[in-house]
Amino acid sequence: MDRGVIMQSVLLVENKKEIDRLSLILAKNRFKSIRKVCEEEAITVIQNEIIHLVILDQMVSPFDWIETCKKVRDYSNVPIIFLTECFDKESIIKGLDNGADDFMVKPIDDDVFLAKVKAILRRGDIRNTQKSNVKGLVIDRDTCEVRYQDQVVNTTRIEYLLIDYFLSNRNKVFTREELISQVWEYEYTETRTVDSHIRNIRDKLRHSDFPVDTYLLTVRGFGYRWSD
């Protein structure tokens, strides 16, 4: 993989052998696949790792898989594709109404599966170019500006990227090492540098009257989290 290119991670939540085939397709196309067999394990991964797409099989939790979709949405806006045994209109509508982005009916064709995965991830890339507004704090990715109450918050490039990254991954805890890996363009920097940037971000947002201490939290022993 090229230096600086982040491999996109796909979480597959399924308890059948078909997952082996889907994982192989993803690996051949340079996706990182993470396999879990139950809701609890999947939620733990979503809370603690960077996931770009969730593939959820109805049969993992036949009676409350809709609740699984809802719980994923409580922690992340990550796209969800659910797999269904048959074209059940009511079930499909319920899934799409409760957080899923797309669905596939088994048996799953390899080429169609890969095309859907790429299409969903492209949509995510498009969304990421737009403005984000979280509690009145605006990230404008076209101008690389942070604004609150129509006033520009003067940030450095790294401060802007950190804020953008936190707002794009709300409610997740990130270690300092993870933030360095995802935000900095070089591999080696001291973890104390992260603390310094977080301190500056807090000072600047406080000065802009944004209640940053309510949202940008220190998780002792782990790192940082932007909380809703």
Side-chain angles (χ1 to χ4, degrees):
M1 185 170 60
D2 295 337
R3 183 178 177 85
V5 176
I6 300 172
M7 182 180 287
Q8 291 175 300
S9 297
V10 180
L11 173 61
L12 300 110
V13 190
E14 204 211 45
N15 56 10
K16 294 185 177 181
K17 288 186 177 180
E18 185 169 21
I19 203 75
D20 294 328
R21 184 170 57 84
L22 300 184
S23 294
L24 184 60
I25 295 169
L26 292 169
K28 285 182 176 179
N29 288 274
R30 301 180 70 188
F31 294 101
K32 175 185 177 182
S33 64
I34 301 173
R35 301 169 56 174
K36 296 299 174 184
V37 298
C38 68
E39 173 190 294
E40 292 77 11
E41 292 180 353
I43 295 299
T44 298
V45 170
I46 289 168
Q47 287 177 303
N48 293 287
E49 299 191 33
I50 300 167
I51 301 298
H52 299 91
L53 174 64
V54 174
I55 309 290
L56 172 65
D57 191 341
Q58 283 183 315
M59 297 310 296
V60 168
S61 184
F63 301 106
D64 59 2
W65 68 277
I66 293 294
E67 290 303 314
T68 302
C69 280
K70 291 180 180 178
K71 288 180 181 179
V72 170
R73 282 288 163 263
D74 286 341
Y75 294 102
S76 174
N77 289 323
V78 62
I80 301 170
I81 299 176
F82 68 91
L83 311 180
T84 180
E85 296 290 330
C86 62
F87 190 90
D88 177 354
K89 181 178 178 180
E90 182 179 349
S91 179
I92 289 170
I93 291 174
K94 189 178 292 185
L96 296 174
D97 283 345
N98 284 278
D101 295 84
D102 208 339
F103 67 94
M104 294 191 71
V105 179
K106 298 178 182 180
I108 295 169
D109 179 85
D110 293 4
D111 294 333
V112 173
F113 170 74
L114 182 60
K116 285 229 179 191
V117 167
K118 290 181 176 179
I120 287 284
L121 291 172
R122 278 198 303 272
R123 289 181 217 165
D125 290 341
I126 292 170
R127 284 199 296 265
N128 287 339
T129 65
Q130 300 172 344
K131 295 180 183 178
S132 291
N133 187 324
V134 179
K135 309 297 181 182
L137 189 67
V138 176
I139 297 290
D140 190 330
R141 297 183 181 91
D142 289 329
T143 61
C144 294
E145 288 182 334
V146 179
R147 293 194 296 273
Y148 183 63
Q149 295 181 341
D150 294 326
Q151 298 296 316
V152 174
V153 180
N154 291 317
T155 61
T156 66
R157 178 178 173 278
I158 291 295
E159 289 164 2
Y160 164 82
L161 291 173
L162 280 168
I163 295 171
D164 189 9
Y165 192 70
F166 277 124
L167 295 189
S168 298
N169 297 277
R170 299 189 296 280
N171 296 315
K172 291 185 180 181
V173 177
F174 294 104
T175 65
R176 292 162 179 81
E177 291 79 8
E178 286 171 331
L179 291 172
I180 289 170
S181 172
Q182 296 298 325
V183 173
W184 271 255
E185 289 186 346
Y186 43 88
E187 186 174 354
Y188 300 105
T189 190
E190 293 187 7
T191 55
R192 288 176 297 179
T193 302
V194 177
D195 298 332
S196 176
H197 282 288
I198 295 294
R199 183 167 57 251
N200 290 340
I201 287 170
R202 284 172 170 158
D203 287 344
K204 290 178 179 182
L205 291 178
R206 286 190 199 109
H207 185 73
S208 300
D209 294 326
F210 180 78
V212 63
D213 297 304
T214 301
Y215 301 106
L216 181 51
L217 307 179
T218 299
V219 182
R220 297 194 181 280
F222 291 95
Y224 297 100
R225 171 170 65 95
W226 189 284
S227 174
D228 279 343

